[in-house]
Structure formats: structure tokens, C-alpha cells
Amino acid sequence: MKMTPFTIFFRISWLITIISILFIDTNNSIMVYSIICILLILTCITVIRALESRNQWRRMIEDGDVEVKDKISFD
């Protein structure tokens, strides 16, 4: 499976953020607010990517590329 450069960067960003959370100085408000901002940005990107993936799967199911069309309802 080939990953795009954005996917690699995105995954590394999550890893660095999680490691940063472990070593954050809670007395330094700049560090705390910057980690919170980075988490919000990464979370927004994750939600957008999940919604786009869902839409791609729906298109594949409607086109008949996937065999589970009768088993899934979008109600």
C-alpha cells in the first residue's frame, strides 16, 4: 500500500504530538496552549479525512464496486 507524503507527515505529526504531551511542562502556558492548538488542528484534519473516506465508500457501494450493498442501510 502506497502512502502519500501528506499521510506520512500526518502520522508523524500525531506521533510527535503524543510524545510532546508526555514531556510537556505544565507550568509553561505557551507549551500548553500550543499543544492544545496542534491537537485541535490534527483532530479537525482527522475528522475531515474520515468524512471524505466515508463518502468515497458510499460512492463505491452505489457504483456496485463493493458486494455489501444489500447489507448496509444509510438511514
Side-chain angles (χ1 to χ4, degrees), residues 9-34:
F9 172 75
F10 187 68
R11 289 182 181 181
I12 291 172
S13 297
W14 269 112
L15 180 66
I16 290 171
T17 304
I18 291 171
I19 291 172
S20 298
I21 290 171
L22 295 174
F23 296 107
I24 192 171
D25 179 17
T26 55
N27 296 325
N28 187 347
S29 63
I30 294 174
M31 287 180 74
V32 171
Y33 290 128
S34 64

Short mmCIF file of all heavy atoms in Angstrom, two decimals, residues 9-34:
data_model
loop_
_atom_site.label_atom_id
_atom_site.label_comp_id
_atom_site.label_asym_id
_atom_site.label_seq_id
_atom_site.Cartn_x
_atom_site.Cartn_y
_atom_site.Cartn_z
N PHE A 9 3.48 12.55 6.66
CA PHE A 9 3.64 13.74 7.51
C PHE A 9 2.57 13.79 8.60
O PHE A 9 2.87 14.11 9.75
CB PHE A 9 3.56 15.00 6.63
CG PHE A 9 3.51 16.28 7.42
CD1 PHE A 9 4.66 16.77 8.02
CD2 PHE A 9 2.32 16.97 7.56
CE1 PHE A 9 4.62 17.95 8.76
CE2 PHE A 9 2.28 18.14 8.29
CZ PHE A 9 3.43 18.63 8.90
N PHE A 10 1.35 13.44 8.25
CA PHE A 10 0.24 13.47 9.19
C PHE A 10 0.45 12.48 10.32
O PHE A 10 0.24 12.80 11.50
CB PHE A 10 -1.06 13.20 8.43
CG PHE A 10 -2.29 13.37 9.24
CD1 PHE A 10 -2.68 14.62 9.69
CD2 PHE A 10 -3.08 12.28 9.57
CE1 PHE A 10 -3.82 14.78 10.45
CE2 PHE A 10 -4.22 12.44 10.31
CZ PHE A 10 -4.59 13.69 10.76
N ARG A 11 0.87 11.28 10.00
CA ARG A 11 1.10 10.27 11.03
C ARG A 11 2.27 10.64 11.93
O ARG A 11 2.23 10.44 13.15
CB ARG A 11 1.35 8.91 10.38
CG ARG A 11 0.09 8.34 9.78
CD ARG A 11 0.31 6.99 9.19
NE ARG A 11 -0.92 6.49 8.59
CZ ARG A 11 -1.02 5.33 8.02
NH1 ARG A 11 0.02 4.52 7.93
NH2 ARG A 11 -2.18 4.93 7.51
N ILE A 12 3.32 11.18 11.35
CA ILE A 12 4.47 11.62 12.15
C ILE A 12 4.06 12.78 13.06
O ILE A 12 4.50 12.87 14.20
CB ILE A 12 5.65 11.99 11.24
CG1 ILE A 12 6.22 10.72 10.60
CG2 ILE A 12 6.74 12.71 12.02
CD1 ILE A 12 7.27 10.97 9.54
N SER A 13 3.20 13.66 12.55
CA SER A 13 2.71 14.78 13.37
C SER A 13 1.95 14.28 14.59
O SER A 13 2.13 14.80 15.71
CB SER A 13 1.80 15.69 12.55
OG SER A 13 2.50 16.26 11.50
N TRP A 14 1.11 13.27 14.41
CA TRP A 14 0.40 12.69 15.56
C TRP A 14 1.38 12.08 16.55
O TRP A 14 1.23 12.25 17.76
CB TRP A 14 -0.60 11.64 15.10
CG TRP A 14 -1.96 12.17 14.82
CD1 TRP A 14 -2.57 12.26 13.61
CD2 TRP A 14 -2.90 12.70 15.77
NE1 TRP A 14 -3.82 12.81 13.75
CE2 TRP A 14 -4.05 13.08 15.06
CE3 TRP A 14 -2.87 12.89 17.14
CZ2 TRP A 14 -5.16 13.64 15.69
CZ3 TRP A 14 -3.98 13.44 17.76
CH2 TRP A 14 -5.10 13.81 17.04
N LEU A 15 2.37 11.37 16.04
CA LEU A 15 3.35 10.73 16.93
C LEU A 15 4.12 11.77 17.73
O LEU A 15 4.28 11.63 18.95
CB LEU A 15 4.30 9.86 16.10
CG LEU A 15 5.38 9.13 16.88
CD1 LEU A 15 4.75 8.09 17.80
CD2 LEU A 15 6.36 8.49 15.94
N ILE A 16 4.59 12.81 17.06
CA ILE A 16 5.33 13.86 17.74
C ILE A 16 4.46 14.57 18.77
O ILE A 16 4.91 14.90 19.87
CB ILE A 16 5.90 14.86 16.72
CG1 ILE A 16 7.01 14.19 15.91
CG2 ILE A 16 6.42 16.12 17.39
CD1 ILE A 16 7.50 15.00 14.74
N THR A 17 3.20 14.79 18.43
CA THR A 17 2.29 15.45 19.37
C THR A 17 2.06 14.60 20.61
O THR A 17 2.08 15.12 21.73
CB THR A 17 0.95 15.76 18.68
OG1 THR A 17 1.20 16.54 17.51
CG2 THR A 17 0.01 16.49 19.60
N ILE A 18 1.86 13.32 20.43
CA ILE A 18 1.64 12.43 21.58
C ILE A 18 2.88 12.37 22.46
O ILE A 18 2.79 12.43 23.69
CB ILE A 18 1.21 11.03 21.11
CG1 ILE A 18 -0.20 11.13 20.51
CG2 ILE A 18 1.24 10.03 22.25
CD1 ILE A 18 -0.65 9.88 19.80
N ILE A 19 4.05 12.30 21.85
CA ILE A 19 5.30 12.30 22.62
C ILE A 19 5.47 13.64 23.34
O ILE A 19 5.91 13.68 24.49
CB ILE A 19 6.50 11.98 21.71
CG1 ILE A 19 6.41 10.52 21.26
CG2 ILE A 19 7.81 12.23 22.42
CD1 ILE A 19 7.41 10.14 20.20
N SER A 20 5.11 14.72 22.68
CA SER A 20 5.21 16.05 23.31
C SER A 20 4.30 16.16 24.52
O SER A 20 4.66 16.81 25.51
CB SER A 20 4.85 17.14 22.31
OG SER A 20 5.74 17.15 21.24
N ILE A 21 3.14 15.56 24.45
CA ILE A 21 2.22 15.59 25.59
C ILE A 21 2.84 14.91 26.81
O ILE A 21 2.66 15.35 27.94
CB ILE A 21 0.87 14.95 25.22
CG1 ILE A 21 0.13 15.85 24.23
CG2 ILE A 21 0.01 14.69 26.44
CD1 ILE A 21 -1.10 15.22 23.63
N LEU A 22 3.59 13.86 26.57
CA LEU A 22 4.21 13.14 27.68
C LEU A 22 5.27 13.98 28.40
O LEU A 22 5.48 13.83 29.60
CB LEU A 22 4.84 11.84 27.18
CG LEU A 22 3.87 10.80 26.64
CD1 LEU A 22 4.65 9.63 26.06
CD2 LEU A 22 2.92 10.34 27.72
N PHE A 23 5.95 14.85 27.65
CA PHE A 23 7.05 15.61 28.22
C PHE A 23 6.75 17.10 28.38
O PHE A 23 7.66 17.89 28.56
CB PHE A 23 8.29 15.44 27.34
CG PHE A 23 8.78 14.02 27.30
CD1 PHE A 23 8.60 13.26 26.16
CD2 PHE A 23 9.39 13.45 28.39
CE1 PHE A 23 9.04 11.94 26.12
CE2 PHE A 23 9.84 12.15 28.36
CZ PHE A 23 9.66 11.39 27.21
N ILE A 24 5.49 17.47 28.34
CA ILE A 24 5.13 18.88 28.40
C ILE A 24 5.35 19.44 29.81
O ILE A 24 5.15 18.76 30.80
CB ILE A 24 3.67 19.09 27.96
CG1 ILE A 24 3.38 20.56 27.74
CG2 ILE A 24 2.72 18.51 28.97
CD1 ILE A 24 2.03 20.79 27.09
N ASP A 25 5.79 20.67 29.84
CA ASP A 25 5.93 21.39 31.11
C ASP A 25 4.62 22.12 31.37
O ASP A 25 4.29 23.09 30.70
CB ASP A 25 7.09 22.39 31.00
CG ASP A 25 7.28 23.19 32.27
OD1 ASP A 25 6.75 22.77 33.32
OD2 ASP A 25 7.97 24.22 32.21
N THR A 26 3.86 21.63 32.32
CA THR A 26 2.52 22.19 32.56
C THR A 26 2.56 23.59 33.15
O THR A 26 1.55 24.28 33.17
CB THR A 26 1.71 21.26 33.48
OG1 THR A 26 2.45 21.05 34.68
CG2 THR A 26 1.41 19.94 32.80
N ASN A 27 3.70 24.02 33.64
CA ASN A 27 3.82 25.37 34.17
C ASN A 27 4.02 26.40 33.07
O ASN A 27 3.81 27.59 33.29
CB ASN A 27 4.98 25.46 35.17
CG ASN A 27 4.74 24.60 36.38
OD1 ASN A 27 3.62 24.47 36.82
ND2 ASN A 27 5.78 24.00 36.92
N ASN A 28 4.43 25.96 31.91
CA ASN A 28 4.67 26.86 30.79
C ASN A 28 3.38 26.95 29.96
O ASN A 28 3.02 26.02 29.24
CB ASN A 28 5.82 26.33 29.94
CG ASN A 28 6.24 27.29 28.86
OD1 ASN A 28 5.55 28.25 28.56
ND2 ASN A 28 7.41 27.03 28.30
N SER A 29 2.69 28.07 30.06
CA SER A 29 1.39 28.19 29.39
C SER A 29 1.52 28.21 27.87
O SER A 29 0.60 27.76 27.18
CB SER A 29 0.66 29.45 29.88
OG SER A 29 1.40 30.60 29.55
N ILE A 30 2.63 28.70 27.35
CA ILE A 30 2.82 28.70 25.89
C ILE A 30 2.87 27.28 25.35
O ILE A 30 2.27 26.97 24.33
CB ILE A 30 4.10 29.49 25.52
CG1 ILE A 30 3.92 30.96 25.88
CG2 ILE A 30 4.42 29.33 24.04
CD1 ILE A 30 5.17 31.80 25.69
N MET A 31 3.56 26.40 26.07
CA MET A 31 3.63 25.00 25.64
C MET A 31 2.25 24.34 25.70
O MET A 31 1.87 23.60 24.80
CB MET A 31 4.62 24.21 26.50
CG MET A 31 6.07 24.51 26.21
SD MET A 31 7.17 23.55 27.25
CE MET A 31 7.02 21.95 26.50
N VAL A 32 1.52 24.62 26.75
CA VAL A 32 0.20 24.01 26.92
C VAL A 32 -0.74 24.46 25.80
O VAL A 32 -1.40 23.64 25.16
CB VAL A 32 -0.38 24.36 28.31
CG1 VAL A 32 -1.82 23.92 28.41
CG2 VAL A 32 0.46 23.74 29.41
N TYR A 33 -0.79 25.77 25.56
CA TYR A 33 -1.69 26.29 24.52
C TYR A 33 -1.27 25.86 23.12
O TYR A 33 -2.11 25.60 22.27
CB TYR A 33 -1.78 27.81 24.61
CG TYR A 33 -2.53 28.29 25.83
CD1 TYR A 33 -1.97 29.24 26.67
CD2 TYR A 33 -3.78 27.77 26.15
CE1 TYR A 33 -2.65 29.67 27.79
CE2 TYR A 33 -4.46 28.19 27.27
CZ TYR A 33 -3.90 29.15 28.09
OH TYR A 33 -4.57 29.56 29.20
N SER A 34 0.04 25.74 22.89
CA SER A 34 0.48 25.30 21.57
C SER A 34 0.11 23.83 21.34
O SER A 34 -0.33 23.46 20.23
CB SER A 34 1.98 25.52 21.39
OG SER A 34 2.72 24.73 22.30
#
